Amino acid sequence: MLDTLQTVGVDMGFGWTKVWSDHSYQKFPAVVARGNDRNLARITETFKPSDMVLDVEITNQSTGVTGHYFIGDLAIREGEQPTYIWSKNKAADDMSLACLATSLALVARNDHQDFYVITGLPVAHFGTQLKEDFQQALKGNKFTVRFLSGRLQGRSKEIRILSAKVFPQGYGVYLDQLLDAGGRIAATEYLAPTGILDIGFKTTDVVFVNDMQPVDRSSFPLELGMSWAYEQVQKHLNNGYDIQKSLEEMEIIFQEKQVRINKEYKRIDPWIETAYRALTDRLKNEIARKWTNTTDLDNIVIAGGGGLALYDYLDYPQKVLPPDAQFSNAKGFWKAGKKISGGLRNDQRNTAVDA
Ligand SMILES: Nc1ncnc2c1ncn2[C@@H]1O[C@H](COP(=O)(O)OP(=O)(O)OP(=O)(O)O)[C@@H](O)[C@H]1O
Ligand SMILES: [Mg+2]
């Protein structure tokens, strides 16, 4: 049984859900809406096949409850009242569990798949009872995920979480730097004092690690992320041009670097640049209040989707951008999981599975 256990790292952020496993990885916006019938939309999909249509029916086998959801881009495009998942207690919230189950279904090796899930909680919530509750609540969950449209239409995945472990978000980024794909220590320069900035959609997790140990008193969350930069340009559009845009729409405007005003597209590179600089200054000031001497840090790793955006603006001389910056947490969780599940496999070769 343990040989068929699939190890996955899942990073359920306020903006995006990211999942990393042996041969596959996926991300989608952490937005969920109640699903509805897509008979008409499915006709156009025949001509315009789209590969990531997350129209899913999820049965929680523990409770017997079935729900129909639109997730990610589909929820933004077609959902009624699409909502970001901003609940604290992710294991008790059926929308969060829908995101988790969908992420596992997307990378599942087999149609019936047992998982070892390693995931994270924001640094702000980590020290609390939430971590224990979350870890316990994840274990033993069973879901059936049925894809109702898109490339996977008609496919069904039976998912079981046999075991789960929860780390602080941001620590995954550290593990991704230190460990190789088998979970062995590979980059020994990361045993030296290392700072992690995991810049996300709504928050930035700042973690200080010394000799592999995250240090509590120098690790802290900041309620500041990419959405702050979006809000600055959102206000500018509202006040200067009477144009209202949602945060979901601002994401797209930032990607395209242009916005439609009357009948013309206006390039907004200078506005983006100003917003990125202002966000970087705010982050640097907040960090300087807690990390009084950044020269003591051998490495400063800048990750998260926001890390990709702000890396060039942050002027720490020892800065590093990981190759898969937005996935770095999920990837680090997966690497640590490979090591632990390897150990599980050896220890429990002749004993029962931790179910
Ligand atoms: N290549 C890129 N360039 C600029 N911005 C990017 C890039 N890739 C991702 N982003 C931005 O990064 C943000 C998402 O980052 P990430 O997935 O790390 O957030 P999150 O983990 O969901 O949020 P949080 O950490 O607050 O919970 C998005 O707002 C996205 O627009
Ligand atoms: Mg994040």
Side-chain angles (χ1 to χ4, degrees):
M1 172 96 67
L2 272 169
D3 286 324
T4 61
L5 196 65
Q6 184 176 350
T7 303
V8 283
V10 186
D11 180 10
M12 291 167 73
F14 288 113
W16 292 76
T17 297
K18 284 82 62 184
V19 56
W20 195 283
S21 191
D22 296 71
H23 300 293
S24 54
Y25 57 90
Q26 288 287 350
K27 66 170 180 177
F28 50 82
V31 181
V32 180
R34 296 276 160 202
N36 53 48
D37 207 340
R38 298 186 67 241
N39 284 336
L40 288 176
R42 274 212 295 260
I43 293 171
T44 51
E45 255 163 36
T46 320
F47 306 106
K48 211 174 74 181
S50 158
D51 55 352
M52 269 283 274
V53 178
L54 300 177
D55 175 11
V56 290
E57 183 189 82
I58 300 176
T59 304
N60 184 331
Q61 299 293 359
S62 318
T63 60
V65 175
T66 298
H68 178 186
Y69 302 97
F70 288 170
I71 293 179
D73 288 324
L74 181 64
I76 296 171
R77 270 203 327 271
E78 295 184 22
E80 275 174 41
Q81 297 182 321
T83 44
Y84 276 106
I85 300 169
W86 289 345
S87 66
K88 250 168 102 179
N89 194 349
K90 290 179 180 155
D93 170 34
D94 66 337
M95 295 259 188
S96 298
L97 287 176
C99 264
L100 174 66
T102 302
S103 72
L104 297 180
L106 285 173
V107 297
R109 270 199 306 253
N110 301 297
D111 288 349
H112 289 74
Q113 189 61 56
D114 288 339
F115 284 99
Y116 175 37
V117 173
I118 301 91
T119 187
L121 272 181
V123 169
H125 305 157
F126 194 76
T128 66
Q129 184 64 24
L130 276 177
K131 178 210 148 192
E132 283 304 318
D133 292 350
F134 190 31
Q135 207 159 279
Q136 279 308 321
L138 287 175
K139 264 189 215 175
N141 260 306
K142 270 180 80 173
F143 299 99
T144 304
V145 181
R146 202 156 69 85
F147 291 90
L148 302 179
S149 16
R151 176 169 54 84
L152 295 167
Q153 184 180 343
R155 291 289 291 277
S156 193
K157 301 270 180 179
E158 301 269 339
I159 278 157
R160 188 159 62 143
I161 300 175
L162 277 193
S163 195
K165 185 155 183 68
V166 177
F167 283 126
Q169 267 166 23
Y171 189 56
V173 172
Y174 173 76
L175 295 170
D176 182 32
Q177 311 316 301
L178 178 75
L179 306 176
D180 66 13
R184 290 167 294 260
I185 295 172
T188 49
E189 65 271 27
Y190 285 97
L191 296 173
T194 297
I196 306 290
L197 308 186
D198 177 13
I199 307 168
F201 178 68
K202 270 185 83 76
T203 60
T204 295
D205 282 312
V206 183
V207 181
F208 170 66
V209 187
N210 194 16
D211 198 16
M212 291 182 74
Q213 274 297 322
V215 179
D216 260 340
R217 72 190 140 73
S218 308
S219 301
F220 50 94
L222 296 173
E223 297 252 336
L224 199 54
M226 294 304 289
S227 62
W228 187 84
Y230 300 159
E231 281 161 17
Q232 305 316 301
V233 175
Q234 200 178 30
K235 279 185 213 152
H236 203 65
L237 284 171
N238 194 358
N239 298 340
Y241 299 88
D242 203 21
I243 292 172
Q244 279 81 37
K245 294 286 179 193
S246 68
L247 273 185
E248 293 93 321
E249 290 169 319
M250 289 311 299
E251 277 245 34
I252 296 163
I253 290 169
F254 265 65
Q255 274 165 26
E256 294 176 347
K257 297 194 167 64
Q258 59 180 8
V259 62
R260 192 178 159 142
I261 297 178
N262 297 323
K263 287 192 174 149
E264 289 187 8
Y265 282 93
K266 178 177 172 54
R267 297 289 304 179
I268 57 159
D269 308 59
W271 300 357
I272 293 178
E273 167 113 10
T274 305
Y276 280 179
R277 278 196 195 287
L279 176 57
T280 306
D281 285 347
R282 288 200 58 189
L283 281 170
K284 277 201 71 172
N285 285 337
E286 293 288 338
I287 291 162
R289 285 154 52 130
K290 300 265 176 74
W291 285 356
T292 43
N293 209 347
T294 48
T295 49
D296 290 347
L297 296 170
D298 282 40
N299 319 288
I300 295 184
V301 186
I302 294 163
L308 286 164
L310 302 188
Y311 182 80
D312 288 342
Y313 298 88
L314 286 158
D315 53 6
Y316 302 113
Q318 66 280 58
K319 68 181 179 177
V320 177
L321 182 72
D324 300 293
Q326 194 180 6
F327 284 97
S328 192
N329 248 315
K331 202 174 162 191
F333 293 154
W334 167 75
K335 287 180 177 179
K338 296 295 280 183
K339 174 80 178 167
I340 303 167
S341 65
L344 277 179
R345 209 163 275 141
N346 291 334
D347 291 350
Q348 302 189 0
R349 192 153 279 158
N350 301 312
T351 50
V353 175
D354 171 24

